[in-house]
């Protein structure tokens, strides 16, 4: 397909150059000689076609992965239904305080693309109450952060754990209610290039391990 487009483009350019050479004779002083533009009906038709605003060969849609693509940034999944690329990350201990939060990175670096991280871990009400992770958004705007239900297509409704998000100064931005059966999901406006922390706290999980999957959509 690509080779055919290139061949058509070469033929197009060669035809155009040839016609330009003939068109140069149209303004000559030798009036007794017929003009190339009118001597041949086929040439006249081609001249007429070339005067229209026909598109250049190989014109087509731009891939969303093309760094030259122009357009608005995609909103997070769940806000307008876009499906991002997801990278899965398993927690590693210790990560029970802000200062030793696990570092996670979104796949890709284009602001036009919506991507995400699925962070897997476990907490309990004694011994390992909280897990922390830190990330830097690729783009500015609303970011969806939630605990997965049976699948990550929807958020979990529970009171065994809650989630919080903090800015780079470790100041609380927002979080889900503590001690209330509610949907464990928050949407926060974040700024590209700044660090943010997320906490999963299993204060009400009991002594057993509380396994979770945390989704952060950039």
């Amino acid at each position: 397909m690509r080779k055919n487009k290139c061949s058509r483009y070469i033929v197009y350019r060669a035809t155009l150059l040839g016609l330009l050479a003939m068109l140069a004779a149209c303004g000559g002083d030798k009036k007794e000689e017929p003009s190339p533009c009118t001597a041949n009906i086929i040439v006249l038709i081609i001249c007429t076609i070339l005067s229209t605003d026909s598109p250049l060969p190989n014109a087509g849609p731009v891939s969303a992965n093309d760094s030259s693509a122009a357009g608005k940034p995609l909103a997070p999944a769940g806000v307008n239904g876009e499906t991002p690329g997801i990278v899965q990350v398993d927690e590693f201990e210790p990560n029970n305080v802000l200062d030793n939060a696990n570092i996670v990175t979104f796949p890709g670096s284009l602001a036009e693309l919506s991507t995400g991280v699925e962070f897997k871990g476990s907490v309990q009400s004694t011994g390992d109450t909280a897990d922390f992770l830190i990330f830097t958004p690729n783009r500015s705007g609303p970011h969806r952060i939630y605990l997965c239900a049976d699948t990550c297509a929807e958020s979990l409704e529970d009171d065994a754990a809650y989630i919080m998000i903090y800015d780079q100064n470790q100041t609380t931005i927002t979080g889900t209610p503590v001690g209330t059966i509610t949907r464990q999901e928050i949407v926060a406006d974040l700024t590209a290039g700044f660090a943010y922390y997320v906490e999963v706290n299993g204060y009400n999980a009991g002594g057993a391990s509380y396994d979770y999957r945390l989704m952060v959509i950039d």
Side-chain angles (χ1 to χ4, degrees):
M1 177 81 63
R2 190 177 185 87
K3 182 177 181 181
N4 290 338
K5 289 182 178 180
C6 290
S7 299
R8 290 198 300 270
Y9 184 69
I10 293 172
V11 172
Y12 176 90
R13 293 300 300 272
T15 303
L16 179 60
L17 291 174
L19 288 171
L20 288 175
M22 288 187 292
L23 288 172
C26 293
D29 295 327
K30 297 180 180 180
K31 297 182 180 179
E32 67 276 6
E33 295 181 4
S35 169
C37 290
T38 57
N40 190 312
I41 188 61
I42 296 178
V43 174
L44 179 60
I45 293 173
I46 294 176
C47 288
T48 302
I49 293 173
L50 291 177
S51 68
T52 63
D53 296 329
S54 57
L56 289 175
N58 208 24
V62 179
S63 169
N65 293 316
D66 187 347
S67 60
S68 64
K72 297 179 180 179
L74 299 177
V79 174
N80 71 350
E82 296 290 346
T83 302
I86 302 295
V87 61
Q88 294 182 337
V89 178
D90 293 328
E91 70 157 328
F92 60 89
E93 298 289 351
N95 64 340
N96 59 336
V97 294
L98 285 163
D99 290 336
N100 60 13
N102 289 173
I103 301 172
V104 299
T105 304
F106 295 104
S109 59
L110 297 179
E112 295 87 352
L113 300 178
S114 183
T115 58
V117 171
E118 180 183 337
F119 186 78
K120 298 180 180 180
S122 63
V123 289
Q124 61 185 60
S125 59
T126 59
D128 184 22
T129 306
D131 288 341
F132 290 86
L133 62 92
I134 184 173
F135 66 91
T136 302
N138 289 331
R139 63 175 191 82
S140 299
H143 288 64
R144 186 184 177 203
I145 303 162
Y146 62 97
L147 294 180
C148 299
D150 292 336
T151 70
C152 287
E154 58 183 35
S155 56
L156 176 69
E157 189 170 343
D158 199 3
D159 66 344
Y162 65 87
I163 56 177
M164 301 285 289
I165 184 168
Y166 307 84
D167 65 16
Q168 62 182 357
N169 298 317
Q170 302 184 356
T171 301
T172 302
I173 296 176
T174 188
T176 57
V178 178
T180 303
I181 297 178
T182 187
R183 195 167 297 281
Q184 298 300 323
E185 175 179 338
I186 55 180
V187 176
D189 282 323
L190 308 181
T191 303
F194 287 85
Y196 294 91
Y197 299 85
V198 175
E199 174 187 6
V200 180
N201 193 302
Y203 85 104
N204 200 29
S209 178
Y210 180 85
D211 298 330
Y212 66 84
R213 288 182 296 165
L214 174 75
M215 187 71 75
V216 182
I217 303 298
D218 182 41

